[in-house]
Amino acid sequence: MATINLSPLSTSSSSLRMLSSYPTQNTPTLSFYSRFTPSIFSPSISVRPLTSIKLKPRSLIIASAVKNLSEIEPAPFPVTNEEFAATFPSEAGVYAVFDQNDEVQFIGISRNIAASLFTHKKSVPELCGSVKVGLVNEPDRAALTQAWKSWMEEQIQTTGKVPPGNETGNTTWTRQPAKRKPDLRLTPGRHVQLTVPLQELIDKLVKENKVVAFIKGSRSAPMCGFSQRVIAILESQGVDYETLDVLDEEHNYGLRETLKQYSNWPTFPQVFVNGELVGGCDILTSMYEKGELADASSSENLSKSLTIYGVAGIIRLLAGTYVLVITSRKEVGSFLGFPVYRVESMKFLACNEALRLILDLFGTNNFWRNLLSLSLSFQVAQLKLKDSPVTFTLISRRCTRRLGTRMWRRGANLDGDTANFIETEQLLELEGFRCSLLQIRGSIPLLWEQIVDLSYKPRLRVINHEQTPEVVERHFHDLCQRYGEIIAVDLTDKHGDEGQLSAAYSAEMQKLPNVRYVSFDFHHVCGSSNFDNIHVLYDDISEDFEKQGYFLIGSDGNILEEQKGIIRSNCIDCLDRTNVTQSYLAQKSLDIQLRRIGVFSSTESISMFTEDYGKFRTLWAEQGDEISLEYAGTHALKGDLVRYGKQTVAGIIKDGMSALSRYYLNNFHDGIRQDALDLISGRYTVSRHKPSPFQLNSFETLSYLPVASALLLGGLTITSVTIHQAGRNAQQYVTSVVWAGVTAGFVALVKANGRQFCSRPRLCGLL
């Protein structure tokens, strides 16, 4: 990069006679009467009192300190945006642009040299061959002007002429303020009878113009702050846009009400891009601040360099059609010699018409299913068993058919698809052998719900439906087709609400003779710390479990064993108890596999190797946390049982914090999360031709939770204060009783209407 360092000696800045002006944006108004001949001087030293020294203005000192134009080595113009940022500074200074014949075309000043040079390269690339740059430290306008003037004087002295780009009237190198377009009008006047409906005129208008802003007032005189902000944003982006005044009742009569119906958007301004509604002032401001507006409004900007590692899917909103692309990844391991990556970041890109046709060809749902069926969890550990290096891997894959959050996706739908259905594969590689064990988990395949209502454990309700037997049969028929023989392990309690659900599940399973159903009350048998008692379950199913086997490929590539069936485990959430059970079964299978390969003797097991056993347990615990975070929003409970085989004090505290977090998320956050999942999975389709699901009823028009919380805390505070003062004044007893009663009544009211205060999904129903 050619930059100029400040030095203490240079030519002096002499006075100039002004003749006329050369108005450009990047140069001060300045011209020259004749050639300038700088006077050469030698500095002298004299001793005089400090107060008598006449100091030059700081700008003149800075200008005289900049090197001559001829002393600077030129730097070639970069090609890409990244090269501009890396080559030139984003600082203030003076610069000279040379063409391919090394002739000066323009000398300018800028507060951001890199940005100015990038603009020149974009507007006049044929004139941009190389550039010389000089920085000015702590510049003000006068300092920059003086630095520019010294270079201009030198150039005129050398060539006898002003650079072409600095001549009067030359706007090639500067951005001239564009004349503002007039506002569009839908009709010649209110008195004219329309031959087509107003809604058709609006539809044609927004589809034939790239950007259309419906504002209050005109483009030159907006009538509200929001409209003014929208105009300012569009102007700053250099967007070619059209405007219509919704307040113009003479030429746009009826536009306000008709546009609300057309866009299903109640407020103004409204901005349309490529025929689709982007939104109002808030949404446009957010897009502008995030740098997304350029992508949405200009297909030219889509040509910017962007590394894309994959296309995850597309989504159609009222604002337009967007592609979700993977922009950042991190390698987390390898399998069979191939790298496995974790998605680090993704970005939505607005579709142009050509891209839409391509995506329509492949289909929206397939794209989203490809994204959402990516491995939910990928865990790898390197073990060393008896001097044999072992690669141990856990891969979990979530089914997308009934995707959702903990409380808003329970049980099964009418097709037999269950919530939180996850396939977990344990992989082992050593000495050329490769082993695999597959297990599955999923919610109890009945129609049931557990709606949040502010209580810690909401009531569970089994839905009586005539198709319940068919739902259960469809679910297990699908499993048998995919996995073979099924053992269904039910870990739920046998009392309370869970007991009723378990009994209903058991009754339906008796109708399926080809599926073995095993009921195991985990909490009753294992309690809170008797993890070893899970062997009771294993003793019951070990014979069938070992018959199902596992998958094994020998060092020669031949298949030696195949898994003939699968264990399906569930508790209420298919999280904590299920994690413990699956890790135990995986450990038993691992011992069998290592004995089959010849690493272990008939009496050895993984638990005898402390360090490797710890890694094995940690991997299963981390896998359980990943699954729990996706479904419940917190780490898994009972993680200590998986990691250490017992509960610890730290683990109990952590479980308590996770339980409180689950309560908050389930009651006040998961409704929005569920809507997001329904939207991106394609379960809900956005359309402007049907009413918005977010149009609230009268009770929901305000957020009552903050009000209820404030009143509750206020009542408790006043009650406490009056009780404290009751000893001083007998009348305070009455006041205390009254406030205590009011507070208790308010608590009862909130509890009775608990569901109304909770976050709940609005896009799709529970089934």
Side-chain angles (χ1 to χ4, degrees):
M1 176 177 67
T3 59
I4 297 175
N5 297 319
L6 299 184
S7 60
L9 296 177
S10 183
T11 58
S12 66
S13 178
S14 300
S15 61
L16 304 174
R17 294 182 61 185
M18 310 299 296
L19 179 64
S20 60
S21 61
Y22 299 88
T24 61
Q25 179 177 331
N26 288 340
T27 61
T29 302
L30 198 63
S31 66
F32 306 99
Y33 174 71
S34 62
R35 291 191 183 184
F36 170 69
T37 304
S39 59
I40 306 299
F41 74 98
S42 297
S44 60
I45 301 176
S46 61
V47 180
R48 62 182 65 185
L50 180 64
T51 55
S52 65
I53 297 177
K54 295 183 178 180
L55 301 177
K56 285 185 179 182
R58 183 175 64 85
S59 61
L60 296 181
I61 296 174
I62 292 175
S64 65
V66 175
K67 287 184 178 180
N68 292 338
L69 179 60
S70 59
E71 298 174 356
I72 306 301
E73 289 296 327
F77 259 88
V79 178
T80 65
N81 301 7
E82 292 76 11
E83 290 176 351
F84 267 95
T87 305
F88 296 114
S90 300
E91 301 176 38
V94 59
Y95 61 91
V97 181
F98 294 76
D99 61 15
Q100 304 297 337
N101 298 321
D102 294 329
E103 294 185 1
V104 177
Q105 294 295 316
F106 180 70
I107 297 177
I109 57 176
S110 175
R111 294 284 182 183
N112 187 331
I113 292 177
S116 296
L117 294 178
F118 178 76
T119 301
H120 295 328
K121 181 67 174 178
K122 186 176 180 181
S123 59
V124 283
E126 69 281 359
L127 299 179
C128 297
S130 59
V131 63
K132 295 184 179 182
V133 176
L135 300 182
V136 178
N137 293 332
E138 300 182 5
D140 54 19
R141 183 69 182 177
L144 290 171
T145 300
Q146 291 296 333
W148 172 85
K149 185 166 63 175
S150 67
W151 278 22
M152 285 290 293
E153 291 169 350
E154 181 182 352
Q155 173 65 16
I156 293 173
Q157 177 191 5
T158 303
T159 64
K161 60 181 180 181
V162 176
N166 297 101
E167 293 178 351
T168 304
N170 188 326
T171 60
T172 303
W173 296 86
T174 59
R175 181 184 298 172
Q176 299 299 311
K179 295 182 180 179
R180 293 203 167 187
K181 286 184 175 182
D183 299 297
L184 296 181
R185 295 174 174 178
L186 287 179
T187 68
R190 185 171 181 174
H191 61 282
V192 177
Q193 183 71 28
L194 294 178
T195 58
V196 295
L198 186 58
Q199 194 167 90
E200 288 188 18
L201 290 178
I202 296 173
D203 185 69
K204 182 178 181 181
L205 178 69
V206 299
K207 290 180 178 178
E208 290 182 351
N209 295 278
K210 191 171 190 59
V211 180
V212 181
F214 295 89
I215 62 175
K216 292 183 177 181
S218 65
R219 181 191 299 243
S220 57
M223 299 296 290
C224 74
F226 300 116
S227 297
Q228 187 175 22
R229 173 66 174 159
V230 165
I231 295 298
I233 290 174
L234 294 175
E235 290 287 343
S236 69
Q237 295 291 289
V239 175
D240 182 19
Y241 67 100
E242 307 293 342
T243 54
L244 285 91
D245 181 4
V246 298
L247 301 180
D248 185 357
E249 290 294 321
E250 175 61 28
H251 300 95
N252 299 323
Y253 179 72
L255 175 59
R256 269 186 296 177
E257 295 305 318
T258 306
L259 185 59
K260 289 178 183 179
Q261 298 173 6
Y262 175 81
S263 63
N264 197 24
W265 194 270
T267 60
F268 297 98
Q270 294 182 19
V271 180
F272 288 77
V273 177
N274 296 323
E276 302 289 346
L277 176 67
V278 170
C281 180
D282 291 342
I283 295 178
L284 198 72
T285 301
S286 176
M287 294 177 66
Y288 169 71
E289 292 173 348
K290 295 177 181 178
E292 299 172 353
L293 184 58
D295 290 338
S297 62
S298 175
S299 59
E300 180 180 297
N301 285 330
L302 289 178
S303 63
K304 294 188 298 183
S305 175
L306 179 66
T307 301
I308 295 176
Y309 295 100
V311 177
I314 66 172
I315 187 169
R316 290 183 173 87
L317 304 174
L318 292 180
T321 303
Y322 295 86
V323 187
L324 182 62
V325 297
I326 300 170
T327 57
S328 178
R329 66 184 185 182
K330 180 180 180 181
E331 187 171 342
V332 294
S334 63
F335 179 62
L336 300 179
F338 296 96
V340 177
Y341 297 96
R342 179 176 64 203
V343 175
E344 293 282 291
S345 65
M346 293 189 285
K347 181 180 178 66
F348 279 105
L349 299 178
C351 288
N352 56 27
E353 290 301 323
L355 189 53
R356 286 187 198 180
L357 294 176
I358 295 173
L359 293 172
D360 286 341
L361 178 64
F362 287 100
T364 307
N365 292 333
N366 288 338
F367 271 113
W368 279 115
R369 287 201 170 95
N370 287 339
L371 165 66
L372 297 172
S373 63
L374 294 176
S375 296
L376 170 69
S377 174
F378 184 90
Q379 310 286 339
V380 182
Q382 300 296 329
L383 313 180
K384 194 168 185 179
L385 295 171
K386 302 175 70 174
D387 296 326
S388 297
V390 178
T391 300
F392 184 76
T393 307
L394 279 181
I395 302 177
S396 292
R397 297 172 285 265
R398 180 186 295 278
C399 178
T400 62
R401 296 177 184 174
R402 189 157 168 75
L403 198 64
T405 58
R406 177 174 175 245
M407 288 299 187
W408 294 111
R409 284 297 175 267
R410 295 292 212 186
N413 58 20
L414 294 177
D415 294 326
D417 306 317
T418 59
N420 203 27
F421 188 90
I422 295 172
E423 181 184 86
T424 298
E425 188 172 8
Q426 175 178 283
L427 300 162
L428 189 71
E429 299 175 72
L430 78 161
E431 299 178 351
F433 290 90
R434 296 193 294 271
C435 305
S436 166
L437 173 71
L438 205 60
Q439 298 186 73
I440 57 175
R441 70 178 73 193
S443 189
I444 293 178
L446 302 178
L447 305 179
W448 60 282
E449 64 182 14
Q450 194 174 12
I451 306 300
V452 292
D453 58 1
L454 296 183
S455 60
Y456 179 74
K457 193 172 183 180
R459 293 298 304 272
L460 187 154
R461 185 176 74 90
V462 179
I463 301 174
N464 292 322
H465 197 285
E466 60 182 6
Q467 292 192 35
T468 294
E470 288 80 3
V471 168
V472 178
E473 194 277 331
R474 288 171 192 147
H475 176 75
F476 281 100
H477 175 75
D478 179 55
L479 296 187
C480 291
Q481 291 291 105
R482 285 191 282 163
Y483 303 110
E485 180 181 300
I486 307 295
I487 301 176
V489 177
D490 180 15
L491 304 170
T492 56
D493 297 343
K494 298 301 173 281
H495 59 275
D497 288 350
E498 281 194 26
Q500 295 179 15
L501 179 61
S502 179
Y505 184 25
S506 176
E508 293 298 333
M509 293 303 295
Q510 304 307 316
K511 305 174 185 177
L512 302 177
N514 296 326
V515 178
R516 182 184 175 188
Y517 171 77
V518 178
S519 179
F520 180 76
D521 191 335
F522 186 96
H523 285 152
H524 176 71
V525 177
C526 297
S528 59
S529 59
N530 298 320
F531 174 69
D532 291 338
N533 288 350
I534 199 171
H535 74 83
V536 176
L537 170 64
Y538 185 74
D539 292 343
D540 187 13
I541 65 172
S542 59
E543 183 177 352
D544 289 336
F545 176 63
E546 292 173 12
K547 283 181 180 179
Q548 288 182 351
Y550 50 88
F551 185 78
L552 174 63
I553 296 179
S555 56
D556 56 0
N558 293 324
I559 297 176
L560 304 180
E561 301 280 353
E562 290 190 25
Q563 187 171 342
K564 304 177 183 64
I566 202 165
I567 302 288
R568 183 200 189 278
S569 304
N570 74 265
C571 48
I572 285 295
D573 300 326
C574 301
L575 295 176
D576 314 317
R577 288 170 278 182
T578 302
N579 293 336
V580 175
T581 302
Q582 286 196 342
S583 67
Y584 187 87
L585 296 175
Q587 176 188 333
K588 291 295 185 182
S589 180
L590 181 62
D591 290 338
I592 296 172
Q593 294 168 22
L594 291 172
R595 291 170 191 151
R596 170 69 172 80
I597 295 172
V599 177
F600 284 172
S601 66
S602 59
T603 59
E604 288 179 318
S605 66
I606 185 69
S607 61
M608 298 171 64
F609 301 85
T610 305
E611 182 178 352
D612 294 318
Y613 188 38
K615 291 181 179 180
F616 169 84
R617 285 183 155 183
T618 298
L619 231 63
W620 270 98
E622 291 176 350
Q623 178 257 6
D625 285 339
E626 292 288 339
I627 293 174
S628 181
L629 283 169
E630 291 294 323
Y631 189 53
T634 70
H635 288 100
L637 307 183
K638 299 180 177 67
D640 281 356
L641 293 181
V642 179
R643 281 186 171 88
Y644 313 116
K646 61 181 180 180
Q647 284 197 312
T648 64
V649 174
I652 293 173
I653 295 174
K654 181 181 177 181
D655 285 353
M657 297 299 294
S658 294
L660 291 176
S661 296
R662 282 187 185 183
Y663 172 81
Y664 170 78
L665 293 172
N666 295 161
N667 282 276
F668 308 119
H669 186 69
D670 280 355
I672 299 174
R673 282 186 64 213
Q674 185 62 55
D675 282 337
L677 290 169
D678 287 335
L679 186 62
I680 67 171
S681 64
R683 179 174 170 82
Y684 180 82
T685 303
V686 176
S687 172
R688 64 161 48 95
H689 302 297
K690 59 183 179 182
S692 169
F694 295 99
Q695 292 178 346
L696 309 179
N697 60 40
S698 58
F699 185 81
E700 300 168 332
T701 53
L702 295 174
S703 175
Y704 285 89
L705 183 62
V707 178
S709 301
L711 291 175
L712 182 59
L713 291 175
L716 291 173
T717 301
I718 295 174
T719 302
S720 301
V721 171
T722 54
I723 290 176
H724 179 70
Q725 295 177 347
R728 304 175 186 175
N729 188 343
Q731 293 180 349
Q732 294 293 337
Y733 280 113
V734 178
T735 305
S736 300
V737 171
V738 171
W739 276 108
V742 170
T743 303
F746 190 75
V747 170
L749 178 64
V750 170
K751 183 175 176 57
N753 295 275
R755 292 190 179 187
Q756 302 297 332
F757 294 95
C758 295
S759 169
R760 56 190 179 278
R762 303 180 187 277
L763 297 184
C764 298
L766 295 179
L767 299 181

